Amino acid sequence: MRLVDPTDFQILRALSDGRRDTAANLAVIIDKDRNYLNTRLPVLADEGLIERVGPAESSGLYQITPRGVAAAQNQSLYAADRDQFETAIDEQEPLITITDPAVHQTSVSAPPSDQ
């Protein structure tokens, strides 16, 4: 796996909360050119680190994968030893679960009615 350090890791960290985001938002978050990100996002998707998610195929929403979380957690290992980096990702990936962010709402009681 060939990643651009630090940009690819910045993208992975920006997505590491499990939420979906667009290239435009990611460009602002990590302070990089959107056109450049549009070249890196497909590479990260091809490596299985992020995935393009709907609702439409062309919606431009991306979400990190368990493999991407493991890669982000092992950035220092990537620079030191790429073989160990790959091994660490392979070992950690099955242990990571991503659940879609959920919205929880507490019900509000209705005011008493006048009778």
Side-chain angles (χ1 to χ4, degrees), residues 2-13 40 44:
R2 190 148 172 82
L3 301 175
V4 174
D5 191 3
T7 303
D8 290 346
F9 289 100
Q10 290 171 324
I11 293 168
L12 294 174
R13 280 194 307 276
R40 296 308 308 156
L44 295 175

Side-chain angles (χ1 to χ4, degrees), residues 7-103:
T7 303
D8 290 346
F9 289 100
Q10 290 171 324
I11 293 168
L12 294 174
R13 280 194 307 276
L15 291 170
S16 66
D17 62 1
R19 295 178 186 262
R20 300 169 178 180
D21 221 330
T22 64
N25 289 341
L26 291 168
V28 171
I29 292 167
I30 68 171
D31 194 28
K32 299 284 182 186
D33 180 70
R34 179 181 173 182
N35 291 327
Y36 179 61
L37 256 62
N38 284 335
T39 66
R40 296 308 308 156
L41 293 169
V43 172
L44 295 175
D46 288 346
E47 293 290 350
L49 303 176
I50 63 173
E51 62 184 351
R52 194 174 197 155
V53 293
E57 177 83 18
S58 61
S59 67
L61 282 172
Y62 291 90
Q63 184 174 26
I64 198 165
T65 64
R67 187 168 186 78
V69 172
Q73 293 172 345
N74 288 284
Q75 179 179 0
S76 60
L77 193 55
Y78 180 80
D81 187 331
R82 293 207 181 148
D83 288 335
Q84 283 187 339
F85 174 79
E86 293 278 351
T87 301
I89 289 175
D90 290 341
E91 290 173 355
Q92 293 172 15
E93 180 181 7
L95 306 175
I96 298 169
T97 305
I98 298 172
T99 56
D100 290 332
V103 175

